[in-house]
Amino acid sequence: MQSEETVPSQETLTRLARFQRLEPGNALANYYYAVSLWKWKQSAATLDDASSAQAETLLQKAVALDPKLGAAQLQLGILYAQRGDYTHAIPAYQKAIEVSPELEETHYRLAQAYKRNGDTARAQKELQLHEQLSRQAKERAERERAEIQEFVITLRDK
């Protein structure tokens, strides 16, 4: 759902809206609907203040329901940053890192926010963390591919 390339279909958006209405106390229902709504409106070039406010409200509700949902904190930071509101984006990114330090994108976005605010030292530190996490994720993916390949070869030999 977070992939920037993925734009939900109208049917997906409708189903997520229904899911959120049926499960208003479900943090993930609020999160997924907020992200889908935000991306749908952006792709259709119909993102307005009301849609942005609705997505923000849904994301805030998601993090209130599940404070450990780092992905929702990240999306809140992205929403604020796209508005140019770095005074709210930076704390959202920091909270996302606090609860989900493995989210490499958060470190990159926090670095960009620091850079825009003129804090180059903090920006550099976050970029280094982003690069380190990216390297670790790449190594992990390569190990997993090798393990899968070994598994397939083993199955084929039996």
Side-chain angles (χ1 to χ4, degrees):
M1 291 301 298
Q2 288 190 67
S3 174
E4 288 186 25
E5 309 85 45
T6 304
V7 176
S9 66
Q10 179 64 48
E11 180 65 25
T12 300
L13 188 62
T14 302
R15 287 175 187 237
L16 287 170
R18 182 175 183 271
F19 178 43
Q20 191 277 331
R21 274 194 313 276
L22 293 173
E23 296 287 335
N26 184 320
L28 289 174
N30 286 280
Y31 166 71
Y32 286 131
Y33 180 47
V35 171
S36 295
L37 177 66
W38 178 259
K39 289 183 181 196
W40 173 261
K41 292 290 190 172
Q42 278 186 320
S43 72
T46 58
L47 185 63
D48 55 9
D49 290 342
S51 300
S52 180
Q54 183 182 10
E56 180 182 1
T57 299
L58 290 163
L59 289 168
Q60 288 173 340
K61 186 173 182 180
V63 297
L65 290 167
D66 184 358
K68 301 274 186 212
L69 189 55
Q73 288 287 354
L74 168 60
Q75 290 300 320
L76 261 175
I78 292 169
L79 186 145
Y80 294 138
Q82 287 183 346
R83 290 180 185 164
D85 182 2
Y86 294 101
T87 59
H88 285 98
I90 289 172
Y93 291 144
Q94 290 169 333
K95 183 66 175 175
I97 289 170
E98 179 185 318
V99 298
S100 299
E102 73 286 353
L103 292 174
E104 60 193 77
E105 180 184 357
T106 311
H107 291 280
Y108 178 79
R109 289 186 178 270
L110 180 56
Q112 297 306 310
Y114 281 147
K115 192 174 182 180
R116 290 189 190 238
N117 275 356
D119 194 341
T120 55
R122 282 184 167 172
Q124 187 62 37
K125 179 183 172 207
E126 291 301 325
L127 281 176
Q128 288 172 348
L129 286 169
H130 171 261
E131 290 171 13
Q132 178 185 357
L133 288 170
S134 293
R135 210 173 18 259
Q136 289 171 353
K138 184 179 177 184
E139 290 169 1
R140 191 171 39 254
E142 287 174 9
R143 273 195 311 274
E144 288 173 3
R145 272 194 293 275
E147 289 171 3
I148 290 170
Q149 200 170 30
E150 184 178 318
F151 177 73
V152 170
I153 291 170
T154 303
L155 283 177
R156 202 174 348 162
D157 291 344
K158 289 188 177 192

